[in-house]
Amino acid sequence: MNKLLTFAILFISFSTVAEVSDKMATIPELWLQGFLFGVPVYFLTIWRKGFVVLGISFTVFFAYAAYETLSDPYIGVGIIQEQGTPYIIASYGAAVIIALCSALGLIKNKAKFKADI
């Protein structure tokens, strides 16, 4: 009887909730990614104005990755349930940091060339 009961329990389906957050980047990692890509773009843009294209490319890539992850009907819902609104802000925050670093580098580049003239 005990073996039969054990065998029968194996075939009963249970709904499970998988933890999604352990497979995704944490909130501090998302901010760090923004700075790790944004700071070099800032200095490169100060050096040469053409590197703003690299900053725009990184910004578009990070924004698209955040959008695709959060709009997924399974992963996005799971992340938002587990992490909440701060994860959405941090996901798009990395793209915003890179865009700001690109813009600030471009402003600094123009100021540098005005001072040279």
Side-chain angles (χ1 to χ4, degrees), residues 2-3 11 15 17 22 42-43 60-62 73 79 86 101 106 109:
N2 194 13
K3 290 181 183 180
F11 291 103
S15 63
V17 178
D22 62 342
Y42 170 75
F43 288 114
V60 168
F61 173 75
F62 276 87
I79 291 172
C101 288
L106 193 62
N109 183 305

Side-chain angles (χ1 to χ4, degrees), residues 7-29:
F7 188 72
I9 289 176
L10 289 175
F11 291 103
I12 298 175
S13 70
F14 296 102
S15 63
T16 60
V17 178
E19 189 173 313
V20 178
S21 296
D22 62 342
K23 295 156 187 72
M24 302 303 295
T26 62
I27 292 174
E29 287 174 347

Side-chain angles (χ1 to χ4, degrees), residues 22-44:
D22 62 342
K23 295 156 187 72
M24 302 303 295
T26 62
I27 292 174
E29 287 174 347
L30 290 171
W31 292 112
L32 184 64
Q33 287 172 0
F35 285 111
L36 285 176
F37 284 89
V39 171
V41 166
Y42 170 75
F43 288 114
L44 287 171

Side-chain angles (χ1 to χ4, degrees), residues 45-46 100-113:
T45 307
I46 290 174
L100 286 175
C101 288
S102 299
L104 291 174
L106 193 62
I107 292 168
K108 180 83 171 173
N109 183 305
K110 286 184 179 185
K112 181 177 83 169
F113 281 113

Side-chain angles (χ1 to χ4, degrees), residues 22-105:
D22 62 342
K23 295 156 187 72
M24 302 303 295
T26 62
I27 292 174
E29 287 174 347
L30 290 171
W31 292 112
L32 184 64
Q33 287 172 0
F35 285 111
L36 285 176
F37 284 89
V39 171
V41 166
Y42 170 75
F43 288 114
L44 287 171
T45 307
I46 290 174
W47 181 50
R48 296 273 188 243
K49 193 172 23 175
F51 281 107
V52 77
V53 174
L54 182 66
I56 292 170
S57 300
F58 282 146
T59 300
V60 168
F61 173 75
F62 276 87
Y64 181 73
Y67 172 75
E68 280 297 313
T69 302
L70 295 173
S71 67
D72 187 89
Y74 302 107
I75 295 173
V77 172
I79 291 172
I80 293 170
Q81 284 177 349
E82 293 174 16
Q83 296 286 333
T85 306
Y87 196 88
I88 298 170
I89 295 167
S91 292
Y92 288 108
V96 170
I97 290 171
I98 297 169
L100 286 175
C101 288
S102 299
L104 291 174

